[in-house]
Amino acid sequence: QVQLVESGGGSVQPGDSLRLSCAATGYTLDEIVIGWFRQAPGKQREGVSCFSNSVNTTAFGDSVKGRFTISRDNAKNTVYLQMDSLKPEDTATYYCAAIIIGPGSHYCIVMHPPGWFDYWGQGTQVTVTS
């Protein structure tokens, strides 16, 4: 079992930044792939980012490329989603997700769909409004 806890959401103005955290327990970052997704009311869940610590690959959704970045703290088993130049259309509940992986495989060359992930956090709200 992987347990995920997101934090860092809030209400900001357009152009501001936020950093979301996804703290994982149960498995190390080398043993899982982390995905970030978001869902706005009335819309489908959208892929934001995918991160594989074991092979150091990252993918981003087209709508956030160039604005969002990923970092991690292996000692804290935590992945961070840095969101810069936020726009009102970034408003959504953000979720991190995880799947346990085997060794020697390549992940996050492209975004993996939500159904590929087995474990989900509770979500954190991000609101961008002037």
Side-chain angles (χ1 to χ4, degrees), residues 21-68:
S21 301
C22 176
T25 57
Y27 285 79
T28 69
L29 293 181
D30 279 342
E31 297 172 310
I32 59 178
V33 165
I34 292 288
W36 283 98
F37 295 85
R38 65 187 183 187
Q39 190 163 21
K43 294 188 176 182
Q44 288 190 331
R45 192 160 292 191
E46 177 189 10
V48 175
S49 183
C50 180
F51 173 67
S52 173
N53 195 54
S54 63
V55 293
N56 198 28
T57 52
T58 308
F60 293 93
D62 288 341
S63 61
V64 305
K65 282 180 182 175
R67 299 188 297 122
F68 291 11

Side-chain angles (χ1 to χ4, degrees), residues 32-111:
I32 59 178
V33 165
I34 292 288
W36 283 98
F37 295 85
R38 65 187 183 187
Q39 190 163 21
K43 294 188 176 182
Q44 288 190 331
R45 192 160 292 191
E46 177 189 10
V48 175
S49 183
C50 180
F51 173 67
S52 173
N53 195 54
S54 63
V55 293
N56 198 28
T57 52
T58 308
F60 293 93
D62 288 341
S63 61
V64 305
K65 282 180 182 175
R67 299 188 297 122
F68 291 11
T69 56
I70 288 284
S71 62
R72 85 286 199 181
D73 185 331
N74 288 326
K76 295 182 179 180
N77 222 43
T78 297
V79 174
Y80 303 98
L81 179 68
Q82 177 67 40
M83 306 186 296
D84 297 325
S85 302
L86 283 162
K87 305 175 181 180
E89 51 264 43
D90 294 317
T91 295
T93 300
Y94 284 70
Y95 299 89
C96 69
I99 185 170
I100 301 166
I101 60 172
S105 298
H106 291 273
Y107 301 97
C108 299
I109 306 301
V110 294
M111 285 294 302

